[in-house]
Amino acid sequence: DSYCETLPIDGPPSFRGQSVKYVYKLTIGCQRVNSPIKLLRVPFRVLVLHGLKDYQFPQDEAVAPSNPFLEEEEGLKKDSRLADLATELLMVATSRRSLHLYNISNTRGKVGTFCIFKTVYKIGEDVIGTFNFSEGDIPCLQYSVSLQTEESIQEEFQRRRGQPVSYSTHARHQEACLHTAQSSFSLPIPLSSTPGFTTNIVSLKWRLHFEFVTSGESAGTCVVRGSQSEAVTWSGVEQIEVDTFSWDLSIKVLPTNPVLASYVSQFSSTNSITI
């Protein structure tokens, strides 16, 4: 026997958040005569690419020549074209590159610049960015970058009024950068994560969360010269006044190829039931 069920194109993806969960399961029931009913529940993961519901296929595809020796149902043919279209749209959206430069500064002056080449990614990609501290007026002692998701519940579904937004960290990079002219980081987007989406209950967004630790003194007082001889020894000061500040950069995360997403599945592709 075969079974076929159509999932809604604009439905929510599989998601296990702190307040909301969307879980998909296929329940199969079997029964023998004079025996109890046995149920088999098969969980599966759903990835959703919004924007495909209202897509109109070109009219010339309907009159395109077909192979008379192959029997292909119209529904399967459309599903195949839809899958190819989704893959193409993902490639186009995530392959666009343009230079994005951001000035990093606090109340005392400029710390440096941050460079990123795109803000749209798909699951499984690496988020890569670079820092340039050479033109900064305020020395940066340390920075950290966290790849986070922001889960916010719509007001009418909140457990209590003013329920705060929940944040989850998926990857983090931290580096000491005193006297460093340039630095970079690479944060992988886990294949098991959920792309950004919005429903009438919850909204999931992605962001880069930056934290900077800067010196409260001038650059010349950050180190101590230990000798006036030819062999000069430099040593760090024992105590230093610091300032800290943070910054958030929103990014967009789209689904990935289902073949790649299935690599992290914890469930076997074969299930059985004994009646």
Side-chain angles (χ1 to χ4, degrees):
D1 280 341
S2 61
Y3 176 81
C4 179
E5 184 68 33
T6 302
L7 295 173
I9 297 180
D10 56 350
S14 299
F15 174 62
R16 291 182 178 271
Q18 300 185 29
S19 301
V20 177
K21 294 182 181 180
Y22 290 108
V23 180
Y24 290 85
K25 295 181 180 180
L26 178 64
T27 303
I28 303 173
C30 297
Q31 183 182 24
R32 295 179 59 183
V33 179
N34 298 327
S35 299
I37 299 176
K38 295 297 185 65
L39 298 178
L40 174 65
R41 292 182 173 87
V42 182
F44 59 93
R45 184 182 179 190
V46 173
L47 298 177
V48 178
L49 179 61
H50 295 282
L52 294 179
K53 180 181 180 180
D54 301 325
Y55 180 81
Q56 299 294 330
F57 288 96
Q59 297 297 327
D60 55 354
E61 291 188 10
V63 296
S66 58
N67 191 337
F69 300 100
L70 296 178
E71 295 182 359
E72 184 177 12
E73 297 182 5
E74 184 63 26
L76 296 178
K77 183 178 180 181
K78 184 177 181 180
D79 292 342
S80 177
R81 288 182 297 174
L82 198 62
D84 294 338
L85 172 65
T87 303
E88 181 179 353
L89 291 179
L90 284 174
M91 291 298 296
V92 172
T94 58
S95 61
R96 296 173 181 172
R97 294 177 177 269
S98 60
L99 183 62
H100 296 77
L101 286 175
Y102 301 91
N103 289 324
I104 306 170
S105 60
N106 58 11
T107 57
R108 298 178 56 245
K110 183 178 180 180
V111 178
T113 59
F114 172 68
C115 171
I116 193 171
F117 286 95
K118 65 176 185 176
T119 57
V120 180
Y121 302 86
K122 60 178 178 287
I123 292 177
E125 282 191 301
D126 293 338
V127 180
I128 300 175
T130 59
F131 293 97
N132 185 356
F133 300 109
S134 60
E135 300 178 355
D137 302 323
I138 308 300
C140 185
L141 306 180
Q142 179 179 286
Y143 74 87
S144 65
V145 187
S146 300
L147 179 63
Q148 298 180 338
T149 50
E150 174 184 331
E151 178 187 347
S152 57
I153 307 299
Q154 306 298 342
E155 184 176 358
E156 58 269 26
F157 294 99
Q158 294 181 357
R159 297 178 180 177
R160 59 185 182 278
R161 190 177 183 86
Q163 180 178 347
V165 177
S166 301
Y167 297 98
S168 299
T169 300
H170 301 272
R172 189 171 186 268
H173 176 86
Q174 180 174 323
E175 185 172 332
C177 55
L178 180 61
H179 301 305
T180 300
Q182 294 183 346
S183 180
S184 63
F185 67 88
S186 177
L187 298 177
I189 303 176
L191 286 172
S192 58
S193 58
T194 303
F197 71 97
T198 300
T199 66
N200 62 334
I201 299 178
V202 63
S203 175
L204 185 72
K205 299 179 181 179
W206 287 78
R207 72 174 189 175
L208 292 175
H209 179 69
F210 300 84
E211 295 181 357
F212 298 94
V213 179
T214 60
S215 172
E217 304 173 355
S218 62
T221 59
C222 291
V223 292
V224 176
R225 194 169 185 173
S227 174
Q228 298 293 335
S229 61
E230 295 182 358
V232 178
T233 301
W234 295 84
S235 60
V237 296
E238 295 182 357
Q239 295 181 351
I240 185 172
E241 295 183 0
V242 298
D243 296 325
T244 61
F245 65 97
S246 60
W247 171 50
D248 297 324
L249 176 63
S250 298
I251 62 173
K252 190 174 183 179
V253 176
L254 302 177
T256 188
N257 191 309
V259 176
L260 297 178
S262 63
Y263 289 161
V264 297
S265 176
Q266 300 179 356
F267 305 99
S268 175
S269 59
T270 302
N271 295 272
S272 62
I273 182 172
T274 303
I275 59 175

